[in-house]
Amino acid sequence: WDHISDLLAKSGRDPSGQPFAGAGGRHGMTKQQWVDMVRHMGFKGSPAVIFDEIANESIGVDVNRQAKAAAMGEHIVPTISLPQVKRFEARVAAATASLKAGDGTSPAANFARHLRQLRGSVLRAWREDVDLRQSGRVAYADFTTACRKLGVSSQGRLIWDCLRQEGRTAPLEFNEVAQEESENLEEFCEIILTTYGFDLEKAWHDMDPNNQQYLTLHDFTAASRALGFEGNPKLIFKGLDSGLGRMLRENFEYLGKISAKAPYGRAPARGPMDTQSEAPSSVMWGTARLPGPKL
């Protein structure tokens, strides 16, 4: 939504470079321009249906202009403007506010998908883009800052409230945002706990016997299998990768900040992503997977 609003408010041009022709002097967008834009953004649903819904958010001069044109038998090419998009966004936000985090169309689930698309895994995006202080926990102020940098500033409060529906003010933790990745990671950390007492230094020493100061995917996979890990080592590696196809010791030690198995780490918390609820059918497509600009 932030990306769409920026286009309407600032550039006023579609992906082909054509200016939008809005009613009443406002920047607007025709249905074809809208379809081309959201397709360009990677949306796989029905953009025409969404356009029609946004167009129904008629306001002031739009209604009068349409009524006058209809009375005179004139045809006006439908457009949507920034105020209409904002009204529609607010309506969708209100309808999704009660969704549980585990619902596939909830703001929290959409945020996790955005992080995964951005970095290849939620953990890597959490480390690089969300956990700005590298503490393993993210307070609300830092979270909103991260959302702004990620291009989803208008969704920050909605995502936070979705993960904090019980009213808690505690910082967010990784397991709350990506339960599946967290469960895989905790399975690996359980082995580190039982084998090394969660001494990450000893674990790293055995996983890097040649003291090369890094692990490749092949190295990490072989070492984790030798320890008896039956989960997905590639998923963990992607989350801890330094960005050069190598996991450094400092990356590996981040496990101590996010795992419930760390003796002095975070306390196990029940993540809200395990609760399911149904979204109202009228807004299911309003929370569709419409990724923002790639960072």
Side-chain angles (χ1 to χ4, degrees):
W1 290 117
D2 288 347
H3 184 49
I4 292 172
S5 295
D6 285 345
L7 283 174
L8 284 166
K10 298 176 182 179
S11 67
R13 293 181 180 274
D14 64 19
S16 68
Q18 295 300 311
F20 306 144
R26 291 182 299 276
H27 286 311
M29 186 180 296
T30 66
K31 179 179 286 189
Q32 188 58 55
Q33 287 174 323
W34 168 267
V35 170
D36 291 343
M37 181 186 71
V38 295
R39 291 290 189 210
H40 180 73
M41 293 170 65
F43 182 55
K44 303 300 182 182
S46 177
V49 171
I50 299 177
F51 178 93
D52 292 339
E53 284 292 326
I54 296 176
N56 287 335
E57 302 285 344
S58 297
I59 53 178
V61 66
D62 295 329
V63 176
N64 296 332
R65 185 167 179 266
Q66 292 169 6
K68 182 178 180 180
M72 298 178 63
E74 297 179 356
H75 174 67
I76 296 180
V77 176
T79 61
I80 56 175
S81 60
L82 180 58
Q84 289 173 297
V85 169
K86 286 298 185 182
R87 284 194 174 203
F88 177 73
E89 181 183 358
R91 182 156 63 93
V92 170
T96 59
S98 62
L99 294 180
K100 301 298 182 182
D103 189 287
T105 60
S106 72
N110 287 333
F111 180 62
R113 276 193 292 270
H114 179 61
L115 295 181
R116 190 176 297 112
Q117 292 168 351
L118 178 65
R119 299 294 186 187
S121 81
V122 180
L123 177 55
R124 184 173 176 190
W126 171 270
R127 284 196 306 113
E128 297 188 3
D129 304 294
V130 182
D131 186 7
L132 304 178
R133 301 178 190 276
Q134 294 294 289
S135 66
R137 299 177 176 87
V138 180
Y140 178 69
D142 288 338
F143 183 72
T144 55
T145 298
C147 285
R148 183 170 63 253
K149 293 180 178 180
L150 288 166
V152 292
S153 59
S154 66
Q155 300 293 306
R157 184 76 212 192
L158 198 61
I159 298 166
W160 180 274
D161 288 345
C162 185
L163 293 165
R164 286 287 176 270
Q165 291 187 357
E166 70 282 16
R168 292 193 300 129
T169 58
L172 290 180
E173 299 177 9
F174 174 67
N175 72 308
E176 298 179 275
V177 177
Q179 186 178 3
E180 183 178 346
E181 280 193 38
S182 179
E183 289 176 351
N184 181 66
L185 181 146
E186 292 294 0
E187 182 182 341
F188 174 75
C189 288
E190 176 67 30
I191 295 176
I192 298 299
L193 176 63
T194 56
T195 306
Y196 301 102
F198 213 84
D199 187 325
L200 295 175
E201 182 177 355
K202 290 181 179 179
W204 178 266
H205 182 270
D206 282 358
M207 299 180 80
D208 180 25
N210 297 321
N211 196 32
Q212 59 186 5
Q213 304 302 318
Y214 67 84
L215 297 176
T216 64
L217 174 58
H218 175 76
D219 295 333
F220 181 72
T221 299
S224 62
R225 292 301 188 218
L227 288 171
F229 179 53
E230 298 179 352
N232 186 344
K234 184 177 181 179
L235 185 59
I236 297 175
F237 184 87
K238 288 172 67 175
L240 299 176
D241 181 6
S242 65
L244 301 173
R246 296 178 175 183
M247 180 193 298
L248 305 180
R249 178 171 173 173
E250 63 191 60
N251 306 138
F252 182 72
E253 291 178 344
Y254 187 71
L255 292 175
K257 298 179 179 180
I258 59 173
S259 174
K261 303 299 189 297
Y264 303 101
R266 69 172 183 80
R270 290 181 301 170
M273 298 294 279
D274 59 354
T275 307
Q276 301 288 328
S277 67
E278 290 190 10
S281 59
S282 61
V283 298
M284 288 289 281
W285 43 263
T287 58
R289 304 177 186 181
L290 187 63
K294 295 186 179 302
L295 302 179

